[in-house]
Amino acid sequence: TSGDKPRACYTKLTQQDKIFAFAATGDGPAWVTAAPLACKDQIPALWTDGLSQNEFEWPTIFPTGPAGRSQSRVVLDYYIKAKKPKTVGILAQNDDIGNEWLVGAKEVLGKNGVKIVAEEKYNLGETNFTTQVTNMRFANPDFVFFSSEPLGPILFQKTAEGQGWKPPLPSAGVTCNVSVWPKQVGDYSKGMICQNPWQLLSAKLPGQVEFERTYKKYWSDWDKRK
């Protein structure tokens, strides 16, 4: 996760353990919090996953993956062309990684003239989504975009199902696991469009060729960006 816990770990590692560099920092959300701190402290970091935009702006950090902003842009560019929505509601995780995804999402939504009619946030670990679903339902967007890690949107969808509501178009998100999501929400997951980082490209999922083309449009030069 991002937020207070990785900030505390970063402080311990750098001030108490006196580490001189980070390597292979693993899952992205924690490093989204740590990357700006490493930039400020000028601590080298190698083989990071790139979710934080800061990783492409500091010369001692060497990422091996795309920024969260790019992930959102790719998903929404693909979704808008495929579904042609006019309005959107956003469910955003209220922390560093959620905001990274949110920035990229708003760039593409604004460019394509898709109106944001609701923007609901939640804190990691929150389990009651009644307020977020109720507000979203009354805003009645064409679809809901999840700027979040999986658990929040799954709970959101379960709550929406309990209220008898589903957007007229399927949902979209940046961290949908195709092997987990259907088991949790059943038919509610049908038609969802998402970036699925846990699935090998060789799996040949529907829409994969177009998705790869869209992805490369935004990210073919990731290793040359500064």
Side-chain angles (χ1 to χ4, degrees):
T1 183
S2 58
D4 291 339
K5 288 184 178 179
R7 196 173 291 112
C9 289
Y10 175 90
T11 300
K12 177 184 182 298
L13 287 167
T14 56
Q15 296 184 16
Q16 181 177 325
D17 299 334
K18 305 294 184 183
I19 61 103
F20 66 91
F22 289 96
T25 55
D27 196 24
W31 187 247
V32 170
T33 292
L37 302 174
C39 293
K40 180 176 68 71
D41 297 337
Q42 300 186 42
I43 297 177
L46 312 175
W47 197 14
T48 65
D49 67 2
L51 272 179
S52 171
Q53 191 69 24
N54 299 79
E55 297 172 64
F56 299 90
E57 298 169 354
W58 195 257
T60 55
I61 296 181
F62 301 91
T64 57
R69 297 180 191 182
S70 176
Q71 294 178 348
S72 292
R73 292 201 305 265
V74 170
V75 171
L76 282 173
D77 184 84
Y78 179 88
Y79 187 95
I80 290 168
K81 288 178 179 176
K83 300 294 182 179
K84 297 179 173 52
K86 300 297 182 185
T87 61
V88 62
I90 298 175
L91 179 72
Q93 191 169 299
N94 190 27
D95 59 14
D96 298 321
I97 183 57
N99 291 327
E100 282 278 338
W101 285 320
L102 186 59
V103 168
K106 288 184 174 180
E107 289 171 353
V108 172
L109 293 168
K111 182 187 72 174
N112 288 279
V114 179
K115 184 179 180 181
I116 301 172
V117 294
E119 183 177 324
E120 296 295 317
K121 294 196 173 185
Y122 73 96
N123 296 318
L124 201 63
E126 194 171 329
T127 57
N128 187 337
F129 284 77
T130 301
T131 298
Q132 290 91 336
V133 171
T134 301
N135 291 343
M136 197 80 74
R137 181 161 59 89
F138 281 107
N140 196 31
D142 289 341
F143 79 107
V144 176
F145 177 73
F146 299 133
S147 176
S148 332
E149 295 179 71
L151 182 57
I154 287 173
L155 292 172
F156 176 92
Q157 286 185 319
K158 292 296 289 183
T159 304
E161 188 176 37
Q163 292 188 12
W165 176 72
K166 185 177 183 180
L169 294 176
S171 302
V174 288
T175 58
C176 309
N177 188 322
V178 296
S179 63
V180 172
W181 218 279
K183 296 176 183 177
Q184 299 296 322
V185 296
D187 288 344
Y188 208 101
S189 66
K190 286 185 177 178
M192 283 183 66
I193 293 177
C194 59
Q195 176 167 295
N196 180 34
W198 301 282
Q199 186 73 46
L200 295 175
L201 293 177
S202 60
K204 301 301 178 187
L205 296 171
Q208 181 177 309
V209 173
E210 183 182 345
F211 185 89
E212 285 186 60
R213 187 184 302 118
T214 305
Y215 199 96
K216 289 174 181 176
K217 180 179 75 172
Y218 284 110
W219 213 248
S220 60
D221 62 341
W222 71 269
D223 58 333
K224 301 179 183 64
R225 295 189 180 190
K226 295 182 179 179

